[in-house]
Amino acid sequence: MSKATLTTVFIAFLLTSSGAKPNGKNKKPKQAVPAIECDMRAGKISLSEFIVKCPANCRETKEKVYGTGVFASISSICNAAIHSGVITNSGGKVIVMKMAGQAIYKGSLANGVRSLSLPNWRESFSVSVGKPKQGVTYPSTLVFVPSRPTTVKTGEPKDLPYSTVSPVTEAPEAEPSSTAAPPTTTHVTIPITTSAKPRATVHKVREAGVHRSETSVTIRRQPHASSASAFSRVQPQSERKQHTAQSNPDSSPSVPNTGYKWSRMSTGDPAALDPRPDNTEYEHWLYNFGQYSPAPEEHKPPSETSHTRESLAGSNPFESGFSAQGHDLTARVPELMSQGDPNCKVDIAFLMDGSWSIGKRRFKIQKDFLVDVSQVINVGVAGPMMGIIQYGDDPVTEFSLKQFSSSKDLKPAISKIVQKGGLSNVGKALSYINQHFFSDANGNRGGAPNVAVVLVDGWPTDKVEEASRLARESGINIFFVTIEGPDENEKQNVVETNFVDKAVCRTNGFFSLPIKSWFALRKAVQPLVKQVCDTDRLVCSKTCLNANDIAFVIDGSSSVGTGNFRTVLQFVANVTQEFEISDTDTRVGIVQYTYEQRLEFAFGQHNNKADLLNAIKRINYWSGGTSTGAAITFAADQLFSKSKPNKRKIMIVITDGRSYDDVRAPALAVHRKGVIAYSIGIAWAAQDELEYIATDPDRDHSFFVDEFDNLYKYVSKIIHNICNEFNSQPRN
């Protein structure tokens, strides 16, 4: 064989051997994780599911987060992950999953991150630990929503008396379009809002898990009917829907904003705009005034058969209990057969123990117990509604609140439940019901108290304290039924000592039922039903947002002026907007004062949010002197004397100058009556008087701003402090 031939054969051998591993198996590529900054928002990324790596110390950046468990897409990914406990402030990997927008996002404080509340938003996301499942690979690079210039027809200049036209060059979350306006055109954004139907009470709104979409399809929630509110819920400018049309060449250049202006939409003027800068602290000032705009057609959800439960179970371990195929996320609603017991109108989630430790025989006893409860409690649409979650390693929804509307239908459904096995991770199950189960999609009715009954064989295998606290703060009344709990010799094996007291709604014995033997479990049916139906004692249904009588005492003196007085009313409206308003929830009254006092309206006079916000808008400026002390006494006599005994009494005094009379004695008198007093001073207000008025400690109850246009900065601060005080109350 020639030398050239040998060389050719040798080279071919080398090429063949270097191209493959033994047995033809290639090494599995390592998941590449793109790094992001703390300010990266989920809405800026156009993927439906992806993995990212967050840097350290994001909590200190205080990038905004909206919601709890399920977050609006305007939220910082990294701070949302810290808030959810997915990562610490040291950073780490996070899996992000997009899902449908929600009617409301409720704020909370968790892991050092304070999330804010937000009205309806078009897209949501959830976060989970950044460990991909076996066989799942996420994109190694991120695809961002393209920026594009857009325009809106502004109309005639005379139609814009309350607005400033600002150039807008990009819309970070706007959906891609095949048309774009020339970059030299002046652009104006007009909010397109989706109105949410007012409810008597909303203890929480959570979104069930949404399946992974490989085609980046965003599922939209069906918009509700338009509300008659005088205030529209306005979305932050960077995430508003943009529209293309002719712009007004006479539009004035952008100028600094000092808060939202009163809209003329309620009087029929369509040109009222919101010239707010992009994603700044103005996001605290979330609401403008005017009628709700109709939702665009594209916000409607896809057809009911477009997504299957199978894909849902494949992407979300929490939802793997759904086995029916060929249905969308909305559970089938059977024909209504029972009205139920109207004296027991509660939404109940039973968390049944499916761990291996319970065994098949005791699991059967547990199912028989739940069947008995379902028959005694008389399920129906006008009474109690019942859902079941089975927990082990992970929680699984057996059926939602709205899946069965009669006790007769529940009996065979419970009997067919199959044991899942695993550990007894009660803490994880409580987090799941808080974030996912009690949602509109699962049949949460809002006006009915939320109850979670946890059945535990022995003791949990994870910690329950933090998950229980967050659930209670969301308004969930937690009951524990412990069967054959740990004896003295077994307590050393318990993961968390006194786990029942750390979990239940109150530690007074009402919310815990210890059962000594599985064979005695059926004896607990009647006592348990009696307790969960005693709605007067379901105190955890009361949250910091729905358990108050709030009196605003507003300075209407001559030094304020008409324009600044309207700014004060905007501030009052934005604080009010955060609360659940009804005769049984938070009530609001307002006193305006000069030398004299005027009751603008009393507690309970406006029992829904739309009417209340309209009433605030209609308040007329008075003008005169400043007698703050007399106004505090007047509020005590005309408002707090008629306060309900189960309400927290809160007074918020807003003034711009020193009082002509003494404030110390009146303030001390209301403090002694249990009124929590906040004072807000503007411009020439006297610091010593503000401190006399405020409840101790002053730093949490007394605030000062140098000008009226900075009032909006304290909306979230006041809500935060009110909720902190409420949630720190003793639980006995």
Side-chain angles (χ1 to χ4, degrees):
M1 186 178 292
S2 67
K3 184 177 181 180
T5 305
L6 287 171
T7 303
T8 303
V9 171
F10 182 72
I11 292 172
F13 176 77
L14 287 176
L15 291 172
T16 304
S17 62
S18 64
K21 296 288 181 183
N23 301 324
K25 293 182 180 179
N26 293 325
K27 185 177 180 181
K28 182 181 177 181
K30 187 177 180 181
Q31 170 74 63
V33 180
I36 61 172
E37 296 300 323
C38 300
D39 62 351
M40 177 58 67
R41 300 190 300 271
K44 286 191 172 183
I45 299 171
S46 64
L47 301 171
S48 61
E49 189 170 358
F50 53 91
I51 188 170
V52 292
K53 185 175 182 180
C54 291
N57 303 317
C58 283
R59 188 162 55 202
E60 282 71 30
T61 66
K62 298 187 178 179
E63 291 293 333
K64 304 294 190 302
V65 176
Y66 298 91
T68 300
V70 176
F71 304 95
S73 61
I74 193 177
S75 303
S76 159
I77 294 173
C78 297
N79 277 347
I82 295 173
H83 185 276
S84 295
V86 170
I87 62 173
T88 65
N89 199 35
S90 300
K93 298 176 184 178
V94 181
I95 293 174
V96 179
M97 186 170 68
K98 300 281 190 71
M99 55 182 64
Q102 296 200 51
I104 191 170
Y105 300 82
K106 289 204 173 181
S108 63
L109 178 64
N111 303 314
V113 175
R114 174 71 193 182
S115 67
L116 304 174
S117 297
L118 184 73
N120 54 312
W121 198 251
R122 67 172 178 269
E123 186 180 50
S124 307
F125 71 97
S126 63
V127 290
S128 58
V129 178
K131 294 181 180 179
K133 295 180 184 177
Q134 186 175 1
V136 176
T137 303
Y138 293 97
S140 58
T141 58
L142 301 177
V143 180
F144 296 95
V145 176
S147 300
R148 61 183 177 88
T150 53
T151 61
V152 160
K153 188 172 183 179
T154 61
E156 296 299 322
K158 63 188 171 100
D159 292 333
L160 300 170
Y162 295 105
S163 305
T164 303
V165 180
S166 306
V168 177
T169 57
E170 66 174 27
E173 283 202 52
E175 297 175 1
S177 172
S178 59
T179 61
T184 57
T185 308
T186 300
H187 309 291
V188 178
T189 10
I190 289 184
I192 302 295
T193 59
T194 301
S195 60
K197 182 185 294 183
R199 296 188 299 176
T201 308
V202 182
H203 299 307
K204 80 279 316 143
V205 179
R206 304 176 187 84
E207 191 67 59
V210 178
H211 76 284
R212 182 184 307 156
S213 171
E214 300 299 337
T215 57
S216 299
V217 174
T218 302
I219 303 175
R220 307 288 189 185
R221 174 176 289 187
Q222 180 70 39
H224 295 295
S226 184
S227 170
S229 169
F231 302 88
S232 64
R233 300 179 175 187
V234 177
Q235 301 170 344
Q237 180 170 347
S238 70
E239 305 215 11
R240 270 186 229 136
K241 193 73 182 172
Q242 312 284 317
H243 292 273
T244 304
Q246 197 78 17
S247 68
N248 183 2
D250 297 326
S251 299
S252 60
S254 176
V255 296
N257 280 289
T258 54
Y260 290 161
K261 306 301 180 186
W262 288 97
S263 167
R264 298 185 65 183
M265 296 174 71
S266 60
T267 58
D269 187 346
L273 304 179
D274 169 23
R276 181 170 37 173
D278 178 28
N279 291 301
T280 66
E281 59 221 312
Y282 280 83
E283 289 171 3
H284 292 302
W285 198 263
L286 292 173
Y287 309 99
N288 201 350
F289 301 103
Q291 300 273 349
Y292 288 115
S293 302
E297 196 68 23
E298 65 196 65
H299 281 214
K300 295 181 181 179
S303 63
E304 291 189 358
T305 59
S306 60
H307 303 289
T308 66
R309 295 263 180 88
E310 183 175 339
S311 61
L312 174 64
S315 64
N316 189 343
F318 285 154
E319 298 288 33
S320 58
F322 288 113
S323 58
Q325 299 183 4
H327 295 74
D328 73 336
L329 299 179
T330 306
R332 180 185 302 168
V333 183
E335 182 180 352
L336 303 181
M337 299 176 62
S338 167
Q339 292 300 305
D341 181 2
N343 296 317
C344 182
K345 188 175 182 180
V346 290
D347 289 341
I348 312 175
F350 282 90
L351 281 67
M352 65 184 303
D353 192 338
S355 63
W356 291 129
S357 66
I358 194 173
K360 291 185 178 180
R361 183 180 181 186
R362 288 180 291 184
F363 188 78
K364 172 68 165 55
I365 294 173
Q366 184 179 208
K367 290 199 297 183
D368 293 341
F369 170 75
L370 291 174
V371 167
D372 290 347
V373 170
S374 70
Q375 303 308 297
V376 171
I377 206 169
N378 189 11
V379 169
V381 292
M385 296 296 283
M386 177 174 165
I388 291 182
I389 298 97
Q390 183 182 170
Y391 68 88
D393 290 335
D394 293 310
V396 171
T397 298
E398 297 294 345
F399 46 82
S400 67
L401 291 167
K402 67 179 182 180
Q403 201 159 342
F404 299 103
S405 58
S406 72
S407 297
K408 179 181 178 182
D409 292 336
L410 275 167
K411 185 174 182 179
I414 296 171
S415 300
K416 292 176 183 177
I417 294 175
V418 178
Q419 186 177 4
K420 304 296 183 185
L423 300 173
S424 298
N425 288 335
V426 176
K428 185 179 283 189
L430 288 169
S431 294
Y432 171 68
I433 64 165
N434 185 28
Q435 297 174 10
H436 300 279
F437 186 80
F438 284 113
S439 68
D440 287 350
N442 282 335
N444 182 46
R445 291 175 289 180
N450 292 153
V451 175
V453 179
V454 184
L455 301 169
V456 185
D457 172 40
W459 56 86
T461 54
D462 64 349
K463 293 186 176 182
V464 303
E465 184 173 15
E466 179 66 10
S468 300
R469 181 184 65 80
L470 293 173
R472 292 194 306 269
E473 289 179 4
S474 296
I476 300 174
N477 296 272
I478 301 175
F479 288 77
F480 258 63
V481 179
T482 51
I483 307 101
E484 297 181 2
D487 58 27
E488 290 301 322
N489 296 326
E490 293 173 320
K491 286 184 178 180
Q492 61 184 356
N493 301 321
V494 176
V495 174
E496 191 173 32
T497 58
N498 299 322
F499 63 89
V500 173
D501 284 348
K502 292 176 180 178
V504 292
C505 176
R506 291 289 184 271
T507 59
N508 54 11
F510 180 77
F511 293 89
S512 55
L513 282 83
I515 309 297
K516 292 184 178 181
S517 165
W518 276 95
F519 300 104
L521 182 59
R522 284 195 167 183
K523 296 179 181 178
V525 171
Q526 293 287 352
L528 178 63
V529 170
K530 182 179 180 181
Q531 284 165 236
V532 299
C533 290
D534 190 351
T535 54
D536 289 338
R537 298 187 68 178
L538 299 182
V539 289
C540 279
S541 296
K542 292 300 178 185
T543 71
C544 63
L545 299 178
N546 66 15
N548 312 289
D549 277 345
I550 304 177
F552 289 92
V553 181
I554 304 173
D555 185 346
S557 62
S558 302
S559 59
V560 174
T562 303
N564 288 333
F565 187 76
R566 307 308 291 174
T567 302
V568 171
L569 293 184
Q570 290 172 7
F571 169 80
V572 171
N574 279 272
V575 172
T576 301
Q577 180 76 45
E578 291 289 336
F579 292 90
E580 305 301 337
I581 304 298
S582 79
D583 186 50
T584 57
D585 294 309
T586 291
R587 306 184 303 169
V588 173
I590 292 182
V591 169
Q592 183 183 173
Y593 72 93
T594 57
Y595 285 125
E596 301 176 284
Q597 306 83 38
R598 183 168 73 195
L599 180 64
E600 301 293 352
F601 51 82
F603 294 145
Q605 193 169 331
H606 300 286
N607 286 329
N608 67 68
K609 194 172 292 185
D611 288 347
L612 177 58
L613 296 176
N614 266 317
I616 295 171
K617 180 179 179 180
R618 291 194 299 266
I619 294 174
N620 293 318
Y621 173 51
W622 203 357
S623 185
T626 308
S627 294
T628 308
I632 293 172
T633 301
F634 182 84
D637 294 340
Q638 297 297 316
L639 291 173
F640 292 119
S641 64
K642 301 174 178 63
S643 190
K644 293 184 177 181
N646 63 339
K647 301 290 186 183
R648 281 199 312 160
K649 297 185 282 290
I650 296 173
M651 178 178 70
I652 301 175
V653 178
I654 307 169
T655 181
D656 81 327
R658 181 174 288 277
S659 177
Y660 294 159
D661 62 355
D662 177 58
V663 301
R664 289 174 292 184
L668 184 61
V670 295
H671 294 166
R672 287 173 174 169
K673 292 179 180 178
V675 176
I676 302 169
Y678 289 82
S679 61
I680 302 174
I682 309 146
W684 303 280
Q687 186 64 40
D688 59 328
E689 290 185 346
L690 297 177
E691 293 176 359
Y692 286 136
I693 294 169
T695 298
D696 290 331
D698 294 336
R699 66 178 181 275
D700 294 331
H701 299 87
S702 180
F703 309 103
F704 180 85
V705 294
D706 54 355
E707 56 185 31
F708 285 87
D709 291 335
N710 287 329
L711 273 172
Y712 74 92
K713 295 179 180 179
Y714 286 94
V715 171
S716 61
K717 179 69 173 175
I718 287 175
I719 302 297
H720 171 82
N721 288 3
I722 288 173
C723 285
N724 265 2
E725 284 187 324
F726 181 90
N727 295 330
S728 63
Q729 295 177 111
R731 293 198 303 115
N732 50 25

